[in-house]
Amino acid sequence: MNQNSPEVVAEHGLSVEEYDTIVRSMNREPNLTELGIFSVMWSEHCSYKSSRLHLKRLPTEGPQVICGPGENAGIVDIGDGQAAIFKMESHNHPSFIEPYQGAATGVGGIMRDVFTMGARPVAMMNALRFGEADHPKTRHLVAGVVAGIGGYGNCMGVPTVGGETNFHSSYNGNILVNAMCVGLADTDKIFYCAAKGVGNPVVYVGSKTGRDGIHGATMASAEFDDDSDEKRPTVQVGDPFTEKLLVEACLELMQEDAIIGIQDMGAAGLTSSAVEMASKGGSGIELDLDKVPQRETNMTPYEMMLSESQERMLMVLQPGKEDMARAIFEKWDLDFSVIGITTDTNHLTLSHQGKQVADIPLGPLADFAPMYDRPWEETKRPTAVTPDSVPVPDDLGEALLKIIGCSDIASRRWIWEQYDNTVMADTLQIPGGDSAVVRVHGTNKALAITTDVTPRYCQADPFEGGKQAVAETWRNLTAVGAKPLAYTDCLNFGSPERAEIMGQFKGCIDGMVEASNAFDYPVVSGNVSFYNETNGVGIQPTPAIGGVGLIDDLDHMATVPFKADGEIILFVGETNGHLGQSIYLREIGAREEGSPPPVDLGVERRNGDFVRRLILSDKVTAVHDLSDGGLAIGLAEMAMASGIGATIDIASDLPAHAYLFGEDQARYVLTCPAAGVDAILSAASDAGVPTAKLGITGGEDLTLGDMARVAVDDLSDTHEDFLPELMEI
């Protein structure tokens, strides 16, 4: 077969038009190695060719932002000469094909993105989506993914401090595994990838290169079909023990004045790292592939350039620093090899066995990669669901128990107990709260971290769903007393070649833009994962948002549990009983329909800023934001977290089921000593924030007016059952 036949070009994920563009840019036909390099650099996973046009609209700047999108990770200033560096990325396709290694290498890859920039990783989060609980693959996938995340993160000695996990039929054929890493660095020791200068040594460090993961980026840029299991060879294999050595060696070298640029070999491996470093540095790069450390024999240039073997980095060093750097990496028992130099050619040039095997201009590979304005079709907004159209259960207590134990609300303890969430001894709030909280080591300040999105909202109304995803992270950070700084995202969608999917993508971006601007809450890094569909059936649109906030003084931090009997429960916000797309409607009404709750961003900011002020002034003892399941679920979670019951007065004209389970936004539940109530209500009135007494803590039951009484122990038992039963423990 001709190496550039239409069949070979198609196998590389390139269209006829794209191939013709390559030929024009090179003034000749590419050889197979060059074709492979273009295929991965122009893949959706690496080039963002269908999303760049829309991503450009996202707010990315602010006084707190040191570095926004475009580097390995985003950077925000947290004061005192310190920075938080963070990013979230997907490893969806590999995790469906081989769940343990897919998830494990997702964790390893996102850690490398962070420590590449000079940060020590201090916290991991994840956002996981699986198919229906009774789907034949679900149990196997949950077990493998959770074990992979725990296996890699625990071995690295980095705490996994939280995340989210959901189950829905739309993920039966395409699970989502989104990993987020947060690191800390000194602002004067931040490293970037640009390979500037001419004649500087290009150095390969870490593990040897093998044949695993070849065309992983291309595989991640295509939808699944009935033969997806055949793609198993494209899944990488990780070694967390080697990565731990790599972290320490890199951070040690970063203390010296030796590194000009540094880049993780992630998706597309040596190709993407070399191309990105040279293109951002405005230089060229020349590599001698004979010097690449290899663990397999007779590897071809094509295989070496496209391999996605893990635990590898590419560096450009100051001339004369090679021996010093080599000594550090050899001390940590890692490969170190000078494999090339920077040039002034603006070309990527490769040699192998004494022959030049590739010569590609960098412009077409990186800066001038295709960018498409795909046709898009606006999602039709659904009809609203009114409370009187939703069935009222005979027993609201039984309804509460059913919802508290359902797949979306049930405890994730079985998952997070497999993760070491306290290693490093700085984790202050473990999974189960509104946000994880991790102390900035040696200080009295902390980072708050959360991941959120409600895919069913995004499916029904992408614009409102995109707004709500950003707003919920902002609210969760606020609920622990943190000032939200910035967020990263992982935008998971079906095929961009379908207008309805691009309509979902554009709608979610529109909502995210509006929310970001309203909160002065920019996005500083992220990832787009398209083609999450099987046989033409896509997932629910899932733009996962990973928020990071700062608690300046840990003496002012809020938590979810009730603290004592006899405290007053206050309710912040307004309830209209919105049941469209609610958990109640799905679990009790057996319907997934209606419009999601509208998000008034001005009200969100007003209410959230007020709650944060109460936390910082020590006026409240517990805080919880309300989201899935509404008020009843929020109260139940506060009671279960403490073992303390509560009695609630229901003073509303709404039907009880709408009042208790409606998912209206911008709402919080607070507690305070009785002596402090009047001051809070007066402050709320002055701020124009609707706030009212809701009830009192105490006893062993959660009593919801005269509508329901459920023992806190019964709530806890039901809440804990789902995952152990699914996993047959």
Side-chain angles (χ1 to χ4, degrees), residues 413-643:
R413 183 184 305 276
W414 180 89
I415 293 175
W416 58 257
E417 283 189 341
Q418 297 185 55
Y419 307 149
D420 189 336
N421 47 59
T422 59
V423 66
M424 301 178 82
D426 282 317
T427 305
L428 302 178
Q429 290 199 41
I430 63 173
D434 286 321
S435 294
V437 178
V438 177
R439 183 194 306 271
V440 177
H441 190 72
T443 74
N444 199 44
K445 63 185 181 183
L447 297 178
I449 313 164
T450 186
T451 59
D452 293 289
V453 65
T454 309
R456 63 184 186 277
Y457 292 176
C458 298
Q459 176 89 14
D461 186 333
F463 176 68
E464 288 296 335
K467 281 166 59 179
Q468 194 273 342
V470 173
E472 189 171 349
T473 65
W474 190 87
R475 202 161 59 230
N476 280 332
L477 296 172
T478 292
V480 298
K483 178 184 178 181
L485 294 177
Y487 67 90
T488 182
D489 59 40
C490 197
L491 309 178
N492 307 272
F493 290 80
S495 170
E497 297 170 45
R498 293 197 286 131
E500 64 270 27
I501 301 298
M502 281 308 298
Q504 293 173 350
F505 184 80
K506 179 185 180 298
C508 286
I509 292 288
D510 290 343
M512 292 166 60
V513 168
E514 192 163 302
S516 298
N517 285 326
F519 299 139
D520 297 317
Y521 183 43
V523 57
V524 295
S525 59
N527 170 235
V528 177
S529 176
F530 278 134
Y531 296 100
N532 291 288
E533 60 179 61
T534 299
N535 293 327
V537 179
I539 61 165
Q540 288 185 326
T542 311
I545 307 296
V548 173
L550 179 66
I551 298 176
D552 282 316
D553 183 351
L554 282 167
D555 293 334
H556 308 288
M557 177 181 72
T559 57
V560 166
F562 293 143
K563 300 301 184 296
D565 289 351
E567 293 202 325
I568 303 303
I569 303 171
L570 298 173
F571 180 63
V572 173
E574 294 182 293
T575 296
N576 297 308
H578 192 100
L579 291 173
Q581 295 298 330
S582 67
I583 295 291
Y584 177 91
L585 183 63
R586 189 185 74 192
E587 295 299 319
I588 306 302
R591 293 155 53 190
E592 293 187 41
E593 60 186 66
S595 57
V599 181
D600 185 320
L601 296 168
V603 171
E604 282 279 5
R605 179 145 196 179
R606 181 197 68 194
N607 292 1
D609 287 347
F610 173 70
V611 168
R612 193 183 309 105
R613 289 196 298 271
L614 292 180
I615 296 170
L616 297 181
S617 60
D618 297 324
K619 288 184 168 63
V620 291
T621 54
V623 178
H624 192 16
D625 90 301
L626 299 183
S627 53
D628 279 352
L631 175 61
I633 296 302
L635 289 166
E637 289 169 340
M638 297 177 85
M640 291 185 297
S642 60

Side-chain angles (χ1 to χ4, degrees), residues 404-406 409-417 640-641 713-726 729:
I404 206 74
C406 77
I409 304 294
S411 170
R412 278 28 181 165
R413 183 184 305 276
W414 180 89
I415 293 175
W416 58 257
E417 283 189 341
M640 291 185 297
D713 284 348
D714 290 343
L715 287 168
S716 295
D717 290 345
T718 303
H719 189 54
E720 297 290 343
D721 284 347
F722 169 72
L723 274 169
E725 289 179 359
L726 173 65
I729 297 173

Side-chain angles (χ1 to χ4, degrees), residues 185-246:
D186 293 334
T187 54
D188 61 353
K189 286 289 185 181
I190 293 171
F191 294 82
Y192 299 95
C193 74
K196 297 179 179 178
V198 176
N200 297 322
V202 178
V203 177
Y204 172 120
V205 299
S207 291
K208 290 179 168 60
T209 294
R211 291 188 171 95
D212 49 323
I214 292 173
H215 268 300
T218 308
M219 182 268 287
S221 305
E223 66 183 81
F224 281 153
D225 55 28
D226 293 332
D227 298 321
S228 60
D229 281 349
E230 294 178 4
K231 297 177 180 177
R232 190 176 303 273
T234 62
V235 178
Q236 311 93 324
V237 177
D239 179 356
F241 299 104
T242 298
E243 178 130 334
K244 175 62 175 172
L245 301 177
L246 189 59

Side-chain angles (χ1 to χ4, degrees), residues 307-443:
S307 167
E308 293 186 8
S309 295
Q310 298 292 286
E311 294 87 42
R312 303 179 301 158
M313 311 284 280
L314 197 65
M315 299 179 179
V316 174
L317 299 182
Q318 299 279 4
K321 301 289 187 178
E322 298 95 324
D323 289 344
M324 179 268 291
R326 183 189 304 276
I328 290 173
F329 281 88
E330 290 182 349
K331 179 184 74 173
W332 290 100
D333 199 25
L334 295 165
D335 277 293
F336 179 101
S337 178
V338 179
I339 66 170
I341 59 169
T342 57
T343 68
D344 60 1
T345 64
N346 292 310
H347 277 230
L348 171 67
T349 307
L350 309 177
S351 62
H352 182 241
Q353 297 178 353
K355 297 179 181 178
Q356 181 172 291
V357 294
D359 184 4
I360 309 175
L362 287 166
L365 276 178
D367 298 334
F368 308 121
M371 181 171 69
Y372 296 132
D373 185 0
R374 301 275 193 191
W376 59 273
E377 181 180 294
E378 187 171 1
T379 302
K380 183 179 179 181
R381 300 202 171 185
T383 304
V385 170
T386 58
D388 58 7
S389 70
V390 180
V392 181
D394 295 332
D395 186 329
L396 278 169
E398 288 299 318
L400 174 57
L401 284 168
K402 182 174 182 180
I403 294 171
I404 206 74
C406 77
S407 63
D408 271 9
I409 304 294
S411 170
R412 278 28 181 165
R413 183 184 305 276
W414 180 89
I415 293 175
W416 58 257
E417 283 189 341
Q418 297 185 55
Y419 307 149
D420 189 336
N421 47 59
T422 59
V423 66
M424 301 178 82
D426 282 317
T427 305
L428 302 178
Q429 290 199 41
I430 63 173
D434 286 321
S435 294
V437 178
V438 177
R439 183 194 306 271
V440 177
H441 190 72
T443 74

Side-chain angles (χ1 to χ4, degrees), residues 44-197:
E44 198 72 62
H45 191 76
C46 292
S47 73
Y48 295 87
K49 58 189 175 186
S50 299
S51 58
R52 290 207 315 275
L53 186 71
H54 300 284
L55 296 175
K56 288 180 178 182
R57 296 186 288 113
L58 285 165
T60 60
E61 298 179 348
Q64 73 276 37
V65 177
I66 295 174
C67 178
E71 278 287 340
N72 288 291
I75 312 173
V76 293
D77 195 324
I78 61 170
D80 305 309
Q82 295 174 304
I85 299 181
F86 58 97
K87 189 180 183 182
M88 180 160 53
E89 278 203 342
S90 62
H91 232 222
N92 303 335
H93 284 48
S95 298
F96 183 78
I97 294 169
E98 213 304 301
Y100 184 93
Q101 290 296 347
T105 52
V107 170
I110 198 66
M111 282 197 201
R112 287 195 302 279
D113 280 338
V114 166
F115 76 72
T116 294
M117 302 198 72
R120 179 171 292 280
V122 297
M124 294 293 300
M125 298 280 278
N126 52 70
L128 312 177
R129 263 85 195 178
F130 298 100
E132 295 168 294
D134 59 359
H135 189 273
K137 284 191 173 182
T138 295
R139 181 173 179 271
H140 162 72
L141 291 168
V142 172
V145 166
V146 171
I149 292 170
Y152 207 103
N154 294 351
C155 290
M156 287 291 295
V158 178
T160 299
V161 295
E164 56 178 349
T165 304
N166 292 110
F167 298 82
H168 190 273
S169 60
S170 77
Y171 306 106
N172 283 347
N174 284 85
I175 66 171
L176 303 184
V177 176
N178 298 169
M180 177 179 174
C181 182
V182 181
L184 291 169
D186 293 334
T187 54
D188 61 353
K189 286 289 185 181
I190 293 171
F191 294 82
Y192 299 95
C193 74
K196 297 179 179 178

